[in-house]
Amino acid sequence: MTGERATVRTTCPRDCYDSCGIQVQVRRGAIVKVSGDPAHPVNRGALCGKCMHAYNGVWIDPGARLTRPLRRRGAKGEGAFTPVGWEEALGEIAERLREILAVSGPRAILHTHYTGTCSLLAGGFPMRFFHRLGATEVDPDTVCNKAGHVALALTFGDSAHGFDPRTAGAARCIAVWGVNPSASAPHAQQYWFKESGARVLVVDPVRTDTAAHADLHLQIRPGSDAALAYAMLNVMARDGRIDREFIDRHTLGWEEVERHIAGATPAWAEKSTGVAAARIEEAARLYVDGPSLLWMGQGMQRQRLGGNVTRAVSLLPIATGNIGRPGAGFLYLNGSDLRGIQSDYLTAPHLAREAPATVSHMDLAARLEDGGASRALVTWNNNIAASSPEQRRLRQALRREDLLHVAIDLFQTDTVDYADYVLPAASFLEFDDLVLPYFHYAVAAQVGAAAPPGEALPNQEIFRRLAAAMGYTEPELFESDAQMLDALVRQTGAAKDFRTLAARNYVLWPARPHQQFADLLFPTPSGRIEVASDRFPAAGLSREPRPDVEPLPTDGALRVLSPASKWLMNSSFGNEPKVSRRFELPAAWMHPQDTGRLGLEDGDRVEIHNATGAVQARVTASDVVPPGVVLMHKSSWPKLAADGVNVNALFDGTKTDTAESTAVHSVVARVRRAGDAAAAEE
Ligand SMILES: Nc1nc2c(c(=O)[nH]1)N[C@H]1C(S)=C(S)[C@@H](COP(=O)(O)OP(=O)(O)OC[C@H]3O[C@@H](n4cnc5c(=O)[nH]c(N)nc54)[C@H](O)[C@@H]3O)O[C@H]1N2
Ligand SMILES: Nc1nc2c(c(=O)[nH]1)N[C@H]1C(S)=C(S)[C@@H](COP(=O)(O)OP(=O)(O)OC[C@H]3O[C@@H](n4cnc5c(=O)[nH]c(N)nc54)[C@H](O)[C@@H]3O)O[C@H]1N2
Ligand code: SF4
Ligand SMILES: [Mo]
């Protein structure tokens, strides 16, 4: 690569269903262009707009990146730092950590991490350090998808091995429930649906581009999915289309569900869901004619009754026997163990000396207010000041002078501004790693194309050095990237070593399409699908899924939905100028009935507010949302917005019915014209 020009093929490791192939043009060691790999089966030469801008923008601009370790010199939150050497920074951090260990024990050290990068080493290896340290992990899935995981795992014994997208050709219907691939899986949206030949049914309160292109869109009121699912079952039962044989053989507790089906007529459900009875009938027929795939979204379960909703929707494949046969099944997300990856090897939980301690993201602000329970915080792969609930309270807690805060990132995010020490991370364009997509069953290589800017280092190297500074000696903490990559590739069996995989870039794996639950053996205690059992109440749920609804407010307040934007990847890309200007005053979509009622005009600057906080936005009046709903998008950079916050200023950290997970789509707030603080809206 020392020569003039080279093209490097690599993989995008963002938290995205697509995991696109990328080609990087390098000239004299510097990246000159990042584009889509024309040979890649998923993205076929294109990159999404956000990555096209940011990977050719701030990601390769040393002026926009963190390039040296920094020590705080201003007040917390101010973002004023002095450069320091790596050894000095890590030495000082280690000394403070050792002192905290001696006085308060390891659990007073918290760490948060999540989707900054999803490659295996940069996402997983640092866990070896935290296991050895015995720190409290802020449970990452509680800010995203844990309610759905727990509900599906209790029901089917497994939430992480869904249908294989390669099997879609055998499906006649694909139900897309609370997922918006037009933003969160743009290339699946572009090619996969069409090439499957299946008819597409979308259930979403928002008329997303996915919904607009579907054969049938049920524009449901948020929070009413369980009623809709039951009404579809009611139609199937009435028409004699329930698969009794499948139910008798493979399920436990169906009779407890049956009690609810009888009363859940489409006419009954129309009242709470807002979906016309005739459309519910149409959807039921489309799905039951099958074979049908069900893609269950993460957006769907981010609501107060998220666990119950997930269970109720999962009754559809169960009732119709759409499990274990070609063209049938459901997908939440596809984990890497079926491709051979041993996560215990990657994260080494055996290094922990005590049972691991965790806290929910929903309790993060409260925990950080408690000086006794939290003395240090390490944030890596995670921008809590943008992504987590209780933005105002969290920022206040991060101002604590006695909290040692170490932030590791590529950029000076809002979270980084609060840190005592900032450690600069290398980007995926700068080191080798592995990507295991969570939609397609594949194994892909991330191949470094250039050296990191300045002194930035991959997460792995940062934690190897920190382990050394702590005086740790366990060899697992020092294993080299090359050794781990070869070991992981061997675990998959997709290639003999990392270099061989890198030469191919992307391998569909397992080679033969996976058939979910092909043997109809379910890893639950009973070996059957557990629709109702005693295990659910222990997890905070009712014995059986219920047709319950979380109604919209009736006092003039609105429900705020904040799903993925096609211009952002969570908070990543929020600092790319072509993106950030869209979010300086972010858009908020409201139904014309609501804007009319509130005397608002299209384009008005409004304040959306509740007891937790307030955020400003520009209104777009449109029936892309139903009455009673405001749509904004998640995770723009607060400090680049006119009012210094994002939509998470409104979220009080309400938990789902199970798993202490996020109910961010249950936020309720009022809207008024900005500047009209005194005027009540009603
Ligand atoms: N209102 C609302 N809020 C939400 C959601 C919602 O639906 N609505 N969704 C939630 C969901 S689903 C999730 S998953 C969370 C995600 O929240 P986060 O985990 O915060 O997501 P990101 O912004 O992707 O990544 C965080 C940081 O990682 C950094 N990063 C990227 N690569 C690297 C690397 O190699 N090393 C290091 N050290 N850092 C790196 C990025 O620059 C970024 O600042 O947000 C949640 N927040
Ligand atoms: N471009 C882009 N892609 C992303 C991300 C991103 O920020 N930007 N984030 C990544 C991450 S971390 C994740 S977890 C995934 C999430 O991606 P998805 O699984 O697609 O989830 P969301 O975008 O949060 O929400 C999907 C849909 O759920 C709908 N929804 C909200 N409430 C309800 C409800 O009560 N019922 C139903 N049926 N639907 C509801 C929303 O209107 C939205 O259209 O995307 C990943 N991909
Ligand atoms: S974020 Fe998703 S769509 Fe964009 S380049 Fe990466 S994998 Fe592809
Ligand atoms: Mo997520």
Side-chain angles (χ1 to χ4, degrees), residues 405-419:
H405 179 184
V406 179
I408 309 176
D409 208 299
L410 272 58
F411 300 105
Q412 191 170 340
T413 64
D414 287 82
T415 303
V416 168
D417 283 345
Y418 290 88

mmCIF file of all heavy atoms in Angstrom, residues 405-419:
data_model
loop_
_atom_site.group_PDB
_atom_site.id
_atom_site.type_symbol
_atom_site.label_atom_id
_atom_site.label_comp_id
_atom_site.label_asym_id
_atom_site.label_seq_id
_atom_site.Cartn_x
_atom_site.Cartn_y
_atom_site.Cartn_z
ATOM 1 N N HIS A 405 -14.592 10.402 34.480
ATOM 2 C CA HIS A 405 -15.259 10.024 33.216
ATOM 3 C C HIS A 405 -14.212 9.932 32.107
ATOM 4 O O HIS A 405 -13.514 10.895 31.811
ATOM 5 C CB HIS A 405 -16.332 11.066 32.872
ATOM 6 C CG HIS A 405 -17.063 10.794 31.588
ATOM 7 N ND1 HIS A 405 -17.996 11.648 31.063
ATOM 8 C CD2 HIS A 405 -17.001 9.755 30.710
ATOM 9 C CE1 HIS A 405 -18.478 11.164 29.925
ATOM 10 N NE2 HIS A 405 -17.877 10.006 29.683
ATOM 11 N N VAL A 406 -14.120 8.746 31.515
ATOM 12 C CA VAL A 406 -13.232 8.521 30.376
ATOM 13 C C VAL A 406 -14.111 8.267 29.159
ATOM 14 O O VAL A 406 -14.968 7.377 29.188
ATOM 15 C CB VAL A 406 -12.328 7.289 30.624
ATOM 16 C CG1 VAL A 406 -11.420 7.042 29.430
ATOM 17 C CG2 VAL A 406 -11.524 7.466 31.911
ATOM 18 N N ALA A 407 -13.930 9.042 28.105
ATOM 19 C CA ALA A 407 -14.742 8.855 26.892
ATOM 20 C C ALA A 407 -13.828 8.453 25.741
ATOM 21 O O ALA A 407 -12.767 9.042 25.541
ATOM 22 C CB ALA A 407 -15.488 10.141 26.550
ATOM 23 N N ILE A 408 -14.276 7.428 25.003
ATOM 24 C CA ILE A 408 -13.496 6.961 23.850
ATOM 25 C C ILE A 408 -14.369 7.113 22.616
ATOM 26 O O ILE A 408 -15.462 6.536 22.547
ATOM 27 C CB ILE A 408 -13.086 5.483 24.030
ATOM 28 C CG1 ILE A 408 -12.436 5.287 25.402
ATOM 29 C CG2 ILE A 408 -12.151 5.047 22.908
ATOM 30 C CD1 ILE A 408 -12.083 3.847 25.727
ATOM 31 N N ASP A 409 -13.925 7.893 21.669
ATOM 32 C CA ASP A 409 -14.760 8.138 20.480
ATOM 33 C C ASP A 409 -13.881 8.606 19.329
ATOM 34 O O ASP A 409 -12.692 8.878 19.509
ATOM 35 C CB ASP A 409 -15.861 9.182 20.798
ATOM 36 C CG ASP A 409 -17.103 9.005 19.933
ATOM 37 O OD1 ASP A 409 -16.979 9.122 18.695
ATOM 38 O OD2 ASP A 409 -18.177 8.735 20.484
ATOM 39 N N LEU A 410 -14.496 8.714 18.165
ATOM 40 C CA LEU A 410 -13.819 9.262 16.986
ATOM 41 C C LEU A 410 -13.924 10.783 16.959
ATOM 42 O O LEU A 410 -13.110 11.462 16.346
ATOM 43 C CB LEU A 410 -14.502 8.755 15.707
ATOM 44 C CG LEU A 410 -14.065 7.455 15.069
ATOM 45 C CD1 LEU A 410 -14.188 6.309 16.025
ATOM 46 C CD2 LEU A 410 -14.921 7.170 13.828
ATOM 47 N N PHE A 411 -15.007 11.272 17.575
ATOM 48 C CA PHE A 411 -15.365 12.684 17.434
ATOM 49 C C PHE A 411 -15.656 13.293 18.808
ATOM 50 O O PHE A 411 -15.972 12.579 19.759
ATOM 51 C CB PHE A 411 -16.623 12.823 16.565
ATOM 52 C CG PHE A 411 -16.462 12.263 15.183
ATOM 53 C CD1 PHE A 411 -17.051 11.051 14.827
ATOM 54 C CD2 PHE A 411 -15.705 12.941 14.231
ATOM 55 C CE1 PHE A 411 -16.899 10.531 13.551
ATOM 56 C CE2 PHE A 411 -15.544 12.426 12.953
ATOM 57 C CZ PHE A 411 -16.136 11.213 12.605
ATOM 58 N N GLN A 412 -15.611 14.610 18.841
ATOM 59 C CA GLN A 412 -15.931 15.291 20.097
ATOM 60 C C GLN A 412 -17.446 15.472 20.220
ATOM 61 O O GLN A 412 -18.006 16.528 19.946
ATOM 62 C CB GLN A 412 -15.198 16.637 20.196
ATOM 63 C CG GLN A 412 -15.314 17.196 21.608
ATOM 64 C CD GLN A 412 -14.428 18.391 21.862
ATOM 65 O OE1 GLN A 412 -13.449 18.627 21.149
ATOM 66 N NE2 GLN A 412 -14.774 19.169 22.883
ATOM 67 N N THR A 413 -18.091 14.415 20.653
ATOM 68 C CA THR A 413 -19.553 14.407 20.802
ATOM 69 C C THR A 413 -19.971 15.183 22.046
ATOM 70 O O THR A 413 -19.129 15.598 22.846
ATOM 71 C CB THR A 413 -20.039 12.956 20.984
ATOM 72 O OG1 THR A 413 -19.475 12.473 22.211
ATOM 73 C CG2 THR A 413 -19.602 12.061 19.837
ATOM 74 N N ASP A 414 -21.270 15.303 22.234
ATOM 75 C CA ASP A 414 -21.788 15.903 23.473
ATOM 76 C C ASP A 414 -21.293 15.152 24.694
ATOM 77 O O ASP A 414 -20.968 15.752 25.719
ATOM 78 C CB ASP A 414 -23.323 15.904 23.479
ATOM 79 C CG ASP A 414 -23.907 16.925 22.534
ATOM 80 O OD1 ASP A 414 -23.993 16.643 21.323
ATOM 81 O OD2 ASP A 414 -24.259 18.031 23.009
ATOM 82 N N THR A 415 -21.242 13.823 24.599
ATOM 83 C CA THR A 415 -20.782 13.023 25.741
ATOM 84 C C THR A 415 -19.320 13.317 26.035
ATOM 85 O O THR A 415 -18.921 13.508 27.201
ATOM 86 C CB THR A 415 -20.968 11.520 25.436
ATOM 87 O OG1 THR A 415 -22.340 11.292 25.125
ATOM 88 C CG2 THR A 415 -20.563 10.658 26.621
ATOM 89 N N VAL A 416 -18.513 13.381 24.989
ATOM 90 C CA VAL A 416 -17.077 13.637 25.155
ATOM 91 C C VAL A 416 -16.845 14.966 25.879
ATOM 92 O O VAL A 416 -15.928 15.091 26.695
ATOM 93 C CB VAL A 416 -16.383 13.613 23.770
ATOM 94 C CG1 VAL A 416 -14.968 14.164 23.849
ATOM 95 C CG2 VAL A 416 -16.375 12.184 23.211
ATOM 96 N N ASP A 417 -17.703 15.944 25.615
ATOM 97 C CA ASP A 417 -17.532 17.257 26.255
ATOM 98 C C ASP A 417 -17.514 17.179 27.788
ATOM 99 O O ASP A 417 -16.998 18.077 28.434
ATOM 100 C CB ASP A 417 -18.672 18.210 25.831
ATOM 101 C CG ASP A 417 -18.463 18.759 24.436
ATOM 102 O OD1 ASP A 417 -17.336 18.656 23.909
ATOM 103 O OD2 ASP A 417 -19.434 19.299 23.868
ATOM 104 N N TYR A 418 -18.093 16.142 28.356
ATOM 105 C CA TYR A 418 -18.159 16.022 29.821
ATOM 106 C C TYR A 418 -16.991 15.232 30.418
ATOM 107 O O TYR A 418 -16.903 15.098 31.631
ATOM 108 C CB TYR A 418 -19.472 15.343 30.239
ATOM 109 C CG TYR A 418 -20.681 16.206 30.009
ATOM 110 C CD1 TYR A 418 -21.340 16.188 28.792
ATOM 111 C CD2 TYR A 418 -21.131 17.075 31.012
ATOM 112 C CE1 TYR A 418 -22.436 17.002 28.560
ATOM 113 C CE2 TYR A 418 -22.227 17.889 30.787
ATOM 114 C CZ TYR A 418 -22.873 17.851 29.562
ATOM 115 O OH TYR A 418 -23.956 18.660 29.345
ATOM 116 N N ALA A 419 -16.130 14.691 29.569
ATOM 117 C CA ALA A 419 -15.140 13.731 30.069
ATOM 118 C C ALA A 419 -13.956 14.402 30.759
ATOM 119 O O ALA A 419 -13.619 15.552 30.481
ATOM 120 C CB ALA A 419 -14.648 12.876 28.906
#
